[in-house]
Amino acid sequence: MAQESIDEALSGDVSPADSGERPSYFLESLERGLNVLECFDAQHPVLTLSEVATRLGIPRATARRVLLTMTDLGYMAQDGRNFSLTPRVLSFGFSYLRNLPLPRVAQRHIEKLSLDLGEAVSVSILDGDRVVFISRTASPRLLNMAISVGTSFPAHATSSGKVLLANLSAERREAFLATTQLLPYTKDTVIDRAVLGRELDAARERDWAVSVGELEGGMLGAAAAIRTRSDTVLGAVTVELPATRYTGSELETILIPRLIECARAIAVDSLT
Amino acid sequence: MAQESIDEALSGDVSPADSGERPSYFLESLERGLNVLECFDAQHPVLTLSEVATRLGIPRATARRVLLTMTDLGYMAQDGRNFSLTPRVLSFGFSYLRNLPLPRVAQRHIEKLSLDLGEAVSVSILDGDRVVFISRTASPRLLNMAISVGTSFPAHATSSGKVLLANLSAERREAFLATTQLLPYTKDTVIDRAVLGRELDAARERDWAVSVGELEGGMLGAAAAIRTRSDTVLGAVTVELPATRYTGSELETILIPRLIECARAIAVDSLT
């Protein structure tokens, strides 16, 4: 610890902004760099320096330093005034994915279910207050949800989010319900903490959950928990489809049992 | 420009290390942060502060600041002394991939070829002196190359690297041959610049290339260029397999024609 304090004093790498509400170790320029990386998204694959500065609300000079540093390091490509990401950024996400056994184990099971149902099937896990897709099949349908591995959604508005939140420890579940801002994405999004709590109770009991039009109008999500015999929930198997495709009773008699069956097969494989 | 200089002077975000050989805009702590992200790889999914410091050759205090900042920002999870990546890092790579039309167009074509050949098939592109896999099918074989989307290899030692280097502009090709360190990965890796230059000439003429044991002993790579009618090379379709699976003549009469056919189908689809 003493050595760390000395190193820290010597490093001199503290920006003035650190003296604000951030802890003293906090590296502002690292945060800005990661924010810049994230601001190149599907809707904004190419951005100018000014656009990055505007989107993030940071000075042009700061945006410039981040973009030029990233370009030097090979994460960003510059073409005149335009900046875009390079394939090198793939190394982050995929080194993470390669370390998860779940996507490897799950893939053949969700591909089988996807063929049977004629729908895209996914596996998702919880990351804080969001669900993140870590496996997904290509959809055989023309009409497709714009979901790929890496896509994330607010947990409270999705079926997989409900089934995963339902299986948190009592402590973490309480913390989620107490602190998360429950934004309404449609008029049907459950934003009442007591109502959501009861939905989580039900999801915990059944090991499945649905979300009808809560993230997007007309869309139905259904998810089953991947639960091992030691009662650990590894993730959720989910489908999203137009709500008109199944009636309420078909949902419970046809779709949900298939999801549960797939989730169980993945859980069994995950133990071997 | 004047405004930028003023902003820059005011930002005060310059670390002493910047005054070395790095340009004045260079953000050391951003580089360190990205280095830390990259040092969590398939072989090292969990690392302690000391391990990160040792692997990167940086002071413990620096590693500590980066790891704690990343944890605050949600990219890193801490469990006692252990740090690991969170699903949030997926957002970088996949926002890049979502913006590439090629993986979407290529997927069904390489899945078809993969079924026909009984081998994993990939699409790769060039990133500096490395080839990066941007699409890949699941392999039906038990014995598998540890390759996933995001994996990269040194271009000079791979079949896709050769076919992509061969199609660079004369200027960029010269720069590659003049400046890239051609490391020998096996005794068969071509590290003689003149010999590699002649191989690239051949690859340019035929639109395909092979690499026999140049990246790993006993492994054969074969790749065909995805070339549009306007003579743009979008990427390469590749297979890697044990060199014993095809004789030299079977390679040219069976495997290569299928790769070329697949590459042409992708090129045609990419134009529509």
Side-chain angles (χ1 to χ4, degrees), chain B residues 6-174:
Chain B
I6 295 164
D7 286 346
E8 204 157 353
L10 291 174
S11 77
D13 198 7
V14 182
S15 77
D18 284 356
S19 54
E21 55 189 14
R22 296 293 200 180
S24 60
Y25 58 76
F26 197 85
L27 296 165
E28 287 278 330
S29 54
L30 178 52
E31 177 180 33
R32 288 196 192 117
L34 297 170
N35 287 342
V36 168
L37 273 182
E38 289 207 336
C39 101
F40 288 81
D41 56 24
Q43 284 73 46
H44 309 85
V46 178
L47 292 167
T48 65
L49 193 162
S50 305
E51 286 166 345
V52 168
T54 306
R55 287 201 74 198
L56 297 176
I58 58 176
R60 279 173 56 91
T62 308
R64 178 177 162 271
R65 298 192 63 188
V66 170
L67 288 168
L68 294 180
T69 301
M70 296 275 203
T71 304
D72 284 2
L73 295 172
Y75 298 102
M76 201 75 78
Q78 185 176 6
D79 181 12
R81 296 176 57 219
N82 294 324
F83 291 87
S84 57
L85 299 179
T86 70
R88 179 141 191 206
V89 296
L90 289 175
S91 59
F92 302 132
F94 290 97
S95 68
Y96 170 78
L97 265 192
R98 266 198 293 272
N99 290 318
L100 290 184
L102 189 56
R104 278 196 300 276
V105 167
Q107 195 64 34
R108 67 189 185 91
H109 294 290
I110 65 173
E111 280 177 2
K112 186 167 168 288
L113 180 59
S114 183
L115 273 178
D116 289 355
L117 293 177
E119 303 285 349
V121 180
S122 312
V123 174
S124 56
I125 58 174
L126 206 58
D127 181 37
D129 56 3
R130 299 182 74 82
V131 284
V132 181
F133 291 80
I134 58 167
S135 284
R136 184 159 167 94
T137 66
S139 171
R141 301 254 182 188
L142 285 176
L143 181 66
N144 252 294
M145 293 291 297
I147 296 173
S148 58
V149 171
T151 299
S152 73
F153 290 131
H156 73 279
T158 62
S159 56
S160 56
K162 286 181 196 175
V163 95
L164 294 169
L165 291 171
N167 284 288
L168 290 177
S169 67
E171 203 176 75
R172 290 183 60 196
R173 177 181 157 163
E174 280 316 301

Side-chain angles (χ1 to χ4, degrees), chain A residues 4 8 25 27 29 38 40 42 60 64-65 69 72 75 87-88 91 94-95 98-99 148-149 151, chain B residues 4 18 25 27 29 38 40 42 60 64-65 69 72 75 88 91 94-96 98-99 148-149 151:
Chain A
E4 274 182 28
E8 204 156 353
Y25 58 75
L27 296 165
S29 52
E38 288 206 337
F40 288 81
R60 280 172 53 90
R64 178 177 162 272
R65 297 191 64 186
T69 300
D72 283 3
Y75 298 100
R88 179 141 190 204
S91 60
F94 289 97
S95 68
R98 265 197 294 271
N99 290 318
S148 59
V149 171
T151 298
Chain B
E4 275 182 28
D18 284 356
Y25 58 76
L27 296 165
S29 54
E38 289 207 336
F40 288 81
R60 279 173 56 91
R64 178 177 162 271
R65 298 192 63 188
T69 301
D72 284 2
Y75 298 102
R88 179 141 191 206
S91 59
F94 290 97
S95 68
Y96 170 78
R98 266 198 293 272
N99 290 318
S148 58
V149 171
T151 299

Side-chain angles (χ1 to χ4, degrees), chain A residues 23 54 58 95 166 190 202 223-224:
Chain A
T54 306
I58 58 176
S95 68
V190 177

Side-chain angles (χ1 to χ4, degrees), chain B residues 157 162 186 188-189 210-216 218-221 243 251:
Chain B
K162 286 181 196 175
T186 69
D188 295 320
T189 312
V210 295
S211 156
V212 187
E214 293 169 53
L215 183 65
E216 196 162 296
M219 193 186 87
L220 167 77
L251 187 74

Side-chain angles (χ1 to χ4, degrees), chain A residues 14 83 113 127 137 153 164 169 180 190 196-197 212 214 217 222 257 261:
Chain A
V14 183
F83 290 86
L113 180 59
D127 182 35
T137 66
F153 290 131
L164 294 169
S169 66
T180 307
V190 177
L196 183 61
V212 186
E214 293 169 53
E261 185 189 5

Side-chain angles (χ1 to χ4, degrees), chain B residues 164-219:
Chain B
L164 294 169
L165 291 171
N167 284 288
L168 290 177
S169 67
E171 203 176 75
R172 290 183 60 196
R173 177 181 157 163
E174 280 316 301
F176 176 91
L177 285 173
T179 62
T180 308
Q181 205 191 350
L182 302 176
L183 293 175
Y185 291 88
T186 69
K187 63 175 177 45
D188 295 320
T189 312
V190 177
I191 54 171
D192 183 295
R193 290 167 204 282
V195 175
L196 183 60
R198 285 195 293 277
E199 283 205 17
L200 298 187
D201 289 339
R204 163 90 216 193
E205 232 166 77
R206 299 181 305 205
D207 261 353
W208 59 266
V210 295
S211 156
V212 187
E214 293 169 53
L215 183 65
E216 196 162 296
M219 193 186 87

